[in-house]
């Protein structure tokens, strides 16, 4: 993995952890998801217009199917993530969702994409996943609220693993633009959630008045963080990119404890250190 690809992934992890913190601090809900998605579409429309000619020439039924599948999995991801943050802390939900994803992704990548890991890379992946689950706070005595948040977080992780594979195939095998894939995802969310928003215009107005700044932040950082990852996956195998992204778990733990004043335990610190060392070993 070259230095530029590594820097792209690390910057992406910061953007991803930060917008998740912003989402946690809002009231969330379908109206807020729709609001920041509309802003994303507006921001990225000029880029899509600039490449629209080549996109139309390349698009066929197979590519359209891939884009639709990606849109569906991304939509479910945002819904499950929003639900999880309603019940749980950032420093718990984020590690669980992001931690379970690479394990599933690696299995799929090895089985279906014929990718292989060296012994050192295997050890680093094990360290990242181990640190993730220590950091997640699963050791706490679970109540109904915690269990609900964990279930949604796990479902979110499944969606991450599936759309990572789908998007990897799109950019690596079919040479689709990362901007196009993410743009289709956002347009799809706007259309699918529109009937719900129309029925809740009062809530939408309240959400806009209270959280329009947060909507702009997420609208900018959410697609940017993933587009950078898609660009990185053009030159690096998904079985390496996906675990390396888990550096965002360290950042989310810090943001959750320091900024959101969530609980701090020694197990969380241990999880951060193990995850960090795993990520460093993976990048060597």
């Amino acid at each position: 993995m070259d230095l530029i690809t590594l820097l792209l992934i690390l910057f992406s992890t910061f953007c991803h952890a930060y917008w998740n913190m912003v989402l946690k601090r809002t009231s969330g809900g379908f109206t807020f998801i729709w609001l920041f998605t509309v802003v994303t579409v507006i921001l990225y429309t000029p880029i899509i217009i600039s490449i629209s000619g080549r996109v139309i020439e390349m698009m066929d039924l197979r590519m359209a199917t891939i884009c639709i599948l990606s849109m569906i999995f991304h939509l479910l991801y945002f819904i499950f993530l929003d639900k999880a943050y309603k019940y749980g802390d950032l420093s718990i939900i984020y590690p669980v969702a992001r931690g379970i994803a690479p394990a599933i992704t690696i299995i799929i990548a090895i089985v279906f994409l014929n990718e292989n890991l060296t012994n050192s890379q295997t050890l680093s992946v094990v360290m990242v996943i181990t640190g993730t689950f220590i950091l997640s706070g699963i050791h706490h005595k679970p109540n109904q609220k915690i269990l609900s948040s964990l279930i949604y977080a796990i479902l979110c992780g499944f969606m991450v693993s599936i759309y990572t594979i789908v998007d990897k195939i799109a950019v690596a095998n079919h040479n689709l633009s990362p901007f196009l894939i993410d743009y289709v995802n956002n347009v799809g969310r706007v259309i699918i959630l529109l009937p719900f928003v129309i029925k809740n215009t009062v809530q939408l107005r309240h959400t806009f008045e209270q959280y329009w700044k947060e909507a702009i932040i997420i609208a900018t950082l959410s697609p940017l963080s993933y587009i950078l990852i898609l660009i990185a996956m053009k030159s690096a195998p998904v079985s390496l990119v996906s675990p390396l992204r888990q550096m965002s778990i360290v950042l989310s733990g810090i943001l959750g404890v320091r900024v959101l004043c969530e609980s701090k335990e020694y197990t969380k610190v241990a999880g951060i250190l193990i995850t960090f060392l795993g990520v460093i070993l993976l990048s060597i």
Side-chain angles (χ1 to χ4, degrees):
M1 182 181 295
D2 60 81
L3 179 60
I4 294 178
T5 300
L6 177 61
L7 292 177
L8 284 176
I9 297 172
L10 292 180
F11 182 66
S12 169
T13 62
F14 170 78
C15 294
H16 199 277
Y18 189 81
W19 78 252
N20 270 264
M21 182 194 71
V22 174
L23 178 61
K24 170 61 182 175
R25 296 177 70 171
T26 67
S27 60
F30 286 172
T31 54
F32 185 68
I33 294 175
W34 187 85
L35 178 61
F36 71 70
T37 303
V38 168
V39 177
T40 300
V41 171
I42 294 173
L43 291 175
Y44 281 83
T45 293
I47 298 176
I48 295 301
I49 292 176
S50 67
I51 65 174
S52 60
R54 187 173 67 89
V55 167
I56 294 174
E57 293 177 359
M58 293 176 56
M59 188 62 64
D60 58 19
L61 181 59
R62 180 179 297 181
M63 292 183 181
T65 301
I66 291 175
C67 288
I68 292 173
L69 288 175
S70 177
M71 180 268 293
I72 292 172
F73 293 132
H74 277 270
L75 172 62
L76 292 174
Y77 161 74
F78 275 105
I79 292 175
F80 292 145
L81 183 65
D82 177 69
K83 291 289 186 180
Y85 281 146
K86 285 184 178 297
Y87 298 106
D89 292 341
L90 172 69
S91 55
I92 293 178
I93 299 305
Y94 193 98
V96 172
R98 306 307 299 187
I100 201 167
I104 301 171
T105 302
I106 289 171
I107 293 173
I108 296 176
I110 292 174
V111 173
F112 294 102
L113 301 182
N114 297 319
E115 296 184 1
N116 297 306
L117 294 177
T118 64
N119 292 334
S120 174
Q121 292 167 344
T122 300
L123 175 60
S124 64
V125 169
V126 171
M127 291 177 64
V128 169
I129 294 174
T130 301
T132 294
F133 279 95
I134 293 175
L135 184 60
S136 69
I138 295 178
H139 60 281
H140 290 301
K141 293 182 179 180
N143 53 39
Q144 186 60 45
K145 186 177 180 180
I146 293 177
L147 286 175
S148 296
S149 66
L150 290 178
I151 290 173
Y152 281 119
I154 291 172
L155 290 173
C156 182
F158 270 100
M159 293 304 105
V160 171
S161 64
I162 296 174
Y163 75 58
T164 299
I165 295 297
V166 172
D167 293 349
K168 164 69 174 182
I169 294 173
V171 299
N173 296 2
H174 297 281
N175 200 32
L176 285 180
S177 166
F179 291 99
L180 171 65
I181 297 172
D182 198 68
Y183 188 78
V184 170
N185 290 336
N186 284 278
V187 171
R189 281 200 299 276
V190 170
I191 295 174
I192 293 175
L193 295 178
L194 184 58
F196 175 87
V197 173
I198 292 176
K199 294 180 180 180
N200 295 272
T201 54
V202 175
Q203 182 180 351
L204 176 63
R205 183 167 57 251
H206 172 75
T207 300
F208 176 80
E209 293 174 351
Q210 191 169 2
Y211 297 115
W212 65 270
K213 293 181 181 179
E214 288 80 358
I216 293 176
I217 292 174
I218 297 177
T220 303
L221 297 185
S222 176
L224 176 62
S225 64
Y226 193 61
I227 286 171
L228 292 176
I229 289 298
L230 292 179
I231 294 173
M233 286 196 296
K234 282 192 171 185
S235 59
V238 66
S239 52
L240 293 183
V241 173
S242 182
L244 188 55
R245 294 178 68 192
Q246 302 316 304
M247 189 65 180
S248 59
I249 291 175
V250 178
L251 297 174
S252 69
I254 295 173
L255 291 172
V257 172
R258 294 294 185 181
V259 180
L260 301 182
C261 300
E262 296 174 353
S263 61
K264 176 183 178 182
E265 298 91 11
Y266 289 111
T267 50
K268 282 188 178 181
V269 177
I272 289 175
L273 292 177
I274 293 174
T275 303
F276 177 75
L277 292 176
V279 169
I280 294 300
L281 178 62
L282 186 63
S283 63
I284 296 177

